[in-house]
Amino acid sequence: MPTPSRIAVAGALQTVFGEGERLPEAWDRDLPPGDAGLANALLGLCLRRWGTLQAHVLPQLQRPERGLPLGTQIALALGLAQLAWLPGVSVHAAVNEAVALAGHRDLGFPPHQGLVNALLRRAAKDRTALAAALDAAPAALDQTPFVARALKAALWPWGRLDAQDALWRRLQTPPRPWFVALDDAPMDLEPAPELPGALRLPPDADFPRTWLAEGHGMVQDLSSQALLAFAWDRQPARILDACAAPGGKTTGLARRFPGAALTALEVHPARARRLEENLALRKVAAEVVVAEAADWLRSGGPAFDLILLDAPCSGSGTLQKHPELTWIGDGIDRARLRAVQRDLLEAATQRLAPGGLLIYAVCSWLSEEGQDHRDWLAGIPGWAPAAIWPEGLGPAPGPVSFFRPDPLAWPGEGFQAFAFTRHPEP
Ligand SMILES: C[S@@+](CC[C@H](N)C(=O)[O-])C[C@H]1O[C@@H](n2cnc3c(N)ncnc32)[C@H](O)[C@@H]1O
């Protein structure tokens, strides 16, 4: 029987390659801490190097043109990744676990247990040579049209299309998370040099699961933390977080504007439950409403002084944290997303108080998900761009009303955010 960490990784790979779905947040939640570390490392390697791993196997098959069932591909990817890149895993464990996985009725393909055994034993004869051969494979094997589009979109505004290889190399390294401390509970974190207030784990420190689970802090990407440091000197009375789960930015808004009445909308009931749990854990007072935001905004009610629209998006800026997007990104219906984003933005304009601030954000590099919506709103009479470039990041490289960090200089997620204010009625 394979260990829980290998079963969890194989299940995650089935989700991505079998069902074409994103991985759920905290996909490793049920694993003990020691197992979760190995599982995350292994899953990251399999996802980042999936194309290379499969290409390595194919020429060794008698009938490569027939390909392999997914269960066999997964067992081989797990075995090869451990042999090549996880020297702490013994040959015995790497091979036997993978063979056992191949024999798993739901996750593997039992008729290929012998094949998996033979291919992995051959690879295990020289682990160094295996790693060298895999590392010498062309980067293109691990890319898809979605990746190519994301890289170009990230670099084009900076006139740096020549830097696609450099950016891809960064995206292929596992990210080190950033944290926000919510109280004084001790935790061995160090200030992140990129942004005042952002924190990082010292190298080799254990992931602070208990500290997070007890609500003393949260993981939040640097770009999201920077967004919440936007320059605005008003104290809003009513704030709406229109797309709120799992509540990272709701928490940030509550901390920044403690006196304001905060409403958090979320369309998916399960995600809304998660939002409520997170807010309760962090002692954030907010009214959580389960509703489709555009409908809810258009259904009438009082205006808000500040609306944050952290819109659903392709996530193209999160490839480093979510390597599975490489393989499912081409299946994302971008036209539908664009339409949803525009609809949400239009609905939000109907509920902003005169003089209020409307912030739109996406963790995507694609212009169609950010810049294009900004250009659209700029053409609507009565709306004016407002500063959003985060205080503490130094001078903005472009308009202060557009937060689009340079991907070659900024280690946070790919991000586009813009702000508009509504002119008071004449
Ligand atoms: C980018 S995530 C928000 C992340 C969140 N702001 C945070 O910082 O933790 C977008 C969220 O909006 C929700 N959502 C998507 N479409 C929505 C809609 N039409 N109305 C309300 N919520 C929506 C998604 O379920 C998802 O939880």
Side-chain angles (χ1 to χ4, degrees):
M1 184 71 178
T3 56
S5 54
R6 270 81 167 194
I7 290 193
V9 173
L13 292 172
Q14 283 279 358
T15 303
V16 174
F17 294 104
E19 292 148 37
E21 299 282 342
R22 292 186 189 204
L23 295 175
E25 276 167 59
W27 71 276
D28 59 349
R29 185 185 309 203
D30 297 332
L31 291 173
D35 288 0
L38 171 66
N40 273 295
L42 190 48
L43 179 63
L45 287 167
C46 288
L47 288 171
R48 289 191 172 86
R49 307 302 307 278
W50 180 260
T52 293
L53 291 165
Q54 301 310 325
H56 181 81
V57 167
L58 276 186
Q60 303 182 56
L61 302 178
Q62 278 177 358
R63 306 275 307 270
E65 72 285 358
R66 287 169 66 173
L68 288 170
L70 181 57
T72 311
Q73 290 182 305
I74 288 176
L76 284 168
L78 259 86
L80 289 171
Q82 291 171 91
L83 288 171
W85 298 305
L86 296 179
V89 178
S90 69
V91 167
H92 176 82
V95 175
N96 288 12
E97 291 271 339
V99 173
L101 252 185
H104 195 286
R105 231 177 14 158
D106 302 324
L107 299 171
F109 186 68
H112 279 176
Q113 267 189 302
L115 174 73
V116 169
N117 189 34
L119 289 175
L120 292 182
R121 287 206 180 282
R122 188 184 300 162
K125 283 189 183 140
D126 189 343
R127 294 177 77 168
T128 310
L130 173 68
L134 294 175
D135 289 339
L141 288 172
D142 298 311
Q143 297 180 347
T144 56
F146 180 76
V147 167
R149 184 175 287 111
L151 293 175
K152 285 199 182 93
L155 295 165
W156 181 81
W158 305 93
R160 287 302 312 274
L161 286 181
D162 61 312
Q164 292 179 60
D165 290 348
L167 179 55
W168 178 242
R169 273 196 298 281
R170 166 160 84 81
L171 299 182
Q172 284 286 70
T173 20
R176 264 176 74 198
W178 285 270
F179 298 87
V180 178
L182 300 174
D183 60 27
D184 296 333
M187 175 44 58
D188 186 16
L189 297 171
E190 52 193 31
E194 300 88 1
L195 182 74
L199 299 168
R200 290 210 104 159
L201 273 186
D204 301 326
D206 287 338
F207 191 76
R209 275 188 163 209
T210 310
W211 183 76
L212 293 169
E214 290 174 354
H216 301 304
M218 60 181 183
V219 174
Q220 190 169 50
D221 184 77
L222 196 61
S223 297
S224 294
Q225 292 194 42
L227 172 73
L228 292 168
F230 59 91
W232 201 44
D233 56 9
R234 277 191 53 187
Q235 177 60 46
R238 289 170 44 78
I239 301 177
L240 175 69
D241 187 350
C243 289
K249 294 189 191 65
T250 317
T251 305
L253 288 168
R255 283 162 57 78
R256 172 141 181 206
F257 303 109
L262 187 51
T263 302
L265 290 185
E266 172 56 49
V267 71
H268 293 296
R271 288 179 63 79
R273 275 196 298 282
R274 181 88 202 287
L275 168 66
E276 280 180 318
E277 285 164 15
N278 282 342
L279 297 182
L281 182 70
R282 298 169 189 161
K283 303 184 183 58
V284 170
E287 182 193 11
V288 173
V289 179
V290 186
E292 198 287 316
D295 289 348
W296 187 90
L297 283 158
R298 291 193 179 105
S299 66
F304 293 91
D305 306 303
L306 172 59
I307 298 180
L308 171 63
L309 178 54
D310 191 16
C313 71
S314 67
S316 71
T318 68
L319 272 164
Q320 189 175 11
K321 186 165 88 188
H322 296 297
E324 75 270 23
L325 275 174
T326 295
W327 309 107
I328 59 178
D330 287 305
I332 292 174
D333 185 343
R334 295 184 3 250
R336 191 193 68 82
L337 265 180
R338 255 194 331 262
V340 168
Q341 290 157 353
R342 181 64 59 84
D343 190 42
L344 286 165
L345 189 56
E346 199 282 330
T349 62
Q350 301 187 15
R351 290 288 288 280
L352 192 76
L357 192 68
L358 169 58
I359 300 175
Y360 173 97
V362 278
C363 48
S364 172
W365 279 305
L366 306 182
S367 291
E368 65 200 39
E369 301 192 83
Q371 164 104 54
D372 293 3
H373 295 310
R374 180 174 180 265
D375 293 348
W376 169 77
L377 190 47
I380 310 251
W383 291 85
I388 186 73
W389 184 258
E391 284 182 333
L393 285 198
V400 289
S401 55
F402 197 17
F403 175 41
R404 176 165 56 183
D406 176 351
L408 298 172
W410 176 252
E413 284 175 349
F415 212 75
Q416 295 177 83
F418 57 80
F420 276 79
T421 186
R422 207 176 131 194
H423 290 311
E425 308 297 345

